[in-house]
Amino acid sequence: MNSMAIILADGFDCYNDGTDMASSRVWTTTGNMTGNYSTNLGRYGGGCFNRTSGQSSTLMATWAALNRVSVSFAVYLISVGTDYWFQLTPVSGSSPVRFYTSSGSPGLVSVRNGSTEFATFNMPVNQWCRIEIEAFRNATTGTLKIWVDEVLVVNFTGNTGTQDYVGMEIARWMAGRFDDIAVWSHTGAAPNSAPLGDFRIHTLRPIGNGNQNDGTPVGAASNWECVSDPQGGDDDATRVESQNAGSIDLFQLADLSGTPSAIIGAQVYIKARSEASVSRKIQARVRSGSTEVSNGTDLSVPNAATYSGQSAFFPVDPNTGASWTPAGINAMEAGWEITA
């Protein structure tokens, strides 16, 4: 497989509540997430991050340092507080890309490099819209492009900072909702450009054992029941375990809830930890038709008491070499392989 372009994809449909979202290993948090999740206020009636007041608690995601990154999210902005509500996080120092709005005019967004405003744009308030960002950091020739509902509203060239982007922070000091958020680099497998346009993320959880189940179920009768809980999960209460390199576990997944006209790819999430004295290696794995492939890049599982989140992106159907179809996704099995 090619190196991954998608870093993070979350449709917010795999949590029970705010606490579960905070312990998902997809996000880290500051402050209390209690009450900041809804199971039915998402864009399509499903889950979403939901905040009813301008709190200071925030959701954060991290990734390996990138000088170019794209972020796309659906947002329903209601009101704002006294500080920023979105930022790209640099290696060090203040953020080169921060969104501020005024409580008197929350639809007017000020984009700032530290305290210096270098762009503004307008966005809808009290309704869903999609914001897409392509950011390239450079002190003189940096670029920042922002689209609102696929309309280019910022096209800046100049000082966007000197530090690589290593994460993002969303929903600080605002009331509103986030849904269907994705982050991708501009290398390797598609997508590697922006904008993507509007999209929906379908969260598919295991509903049965797949073609191969080498792991040992603990806490439930079958392998799939051990890993079908929401992303926050119950950690060690139910789990599948193996000590053997080469072990593979695959799972049948629920079907898509609709029939999309096009599919960007399949993102496989794994939550794992090692009980060995050293870190272990795993790869995400999918089966389509009679073809099974792993993602090709080892994901490190640290020797730790807590679980870490891992993910891998499969841009094409390995059975056809072409873009995924709804039928292909519905028939796909997904899981993991221990490689070392």
Side-chain angles (χ1 to χ4, degrees), residues 1 49 51 57 100 111 115 154 184 200 208 256 268 283 305:
M1 300 292 293
F49 178 93
R51 173 172 291 156
S57 52
Y100 291 79
V111 186
S115 60
V154 171
W184 64 97
R200 179 180 180 182
L256 295 166
V268 178
Q283 292 189 18

Side-chain angles (χ1 to χ4, degrees), residues 16-47:
N16 289 319
D17 50 38
T19 301
D20 193 39
M21 182 174 61
S23 62
S24 68
R25 279 75 182 184
V26 175
W27 302 99
T28 56
T29 63
T30 61
N32 191 344
M33 287 292 119
T34 300
N36 288 326
Y37 179 76
S38 170
T39 59
N40 60 8
L41 289 177
R43 285 198 304 159
Y44 300 100

Side-chain angles (χ1 to χ4, degrees), residues 8 33 82 116 133 135 189 191 199 201 209-210 218 250:
L8 177 152
M33 287 292 119
T82 59
T116 302
I133 304 161
F199 57 84
I201 297 172
N209 284 347
V218 177
L250 291 170

Side-chain angles (χ1 to χ4, degrees), residues 136-159:
F136 169 60
R137 71 104 188 108
N138 190 281
T140 55
T141 61
T143 58
L144 177 67
K145 296 181 180 181
I146 300 174
W147 294 262
V148 177
D149 290 333
E150 301 181 55
V151 176
L152 183 65
V153 295
V154 171
N155 191 1
F156 174 84
T157 299
N159 180 9

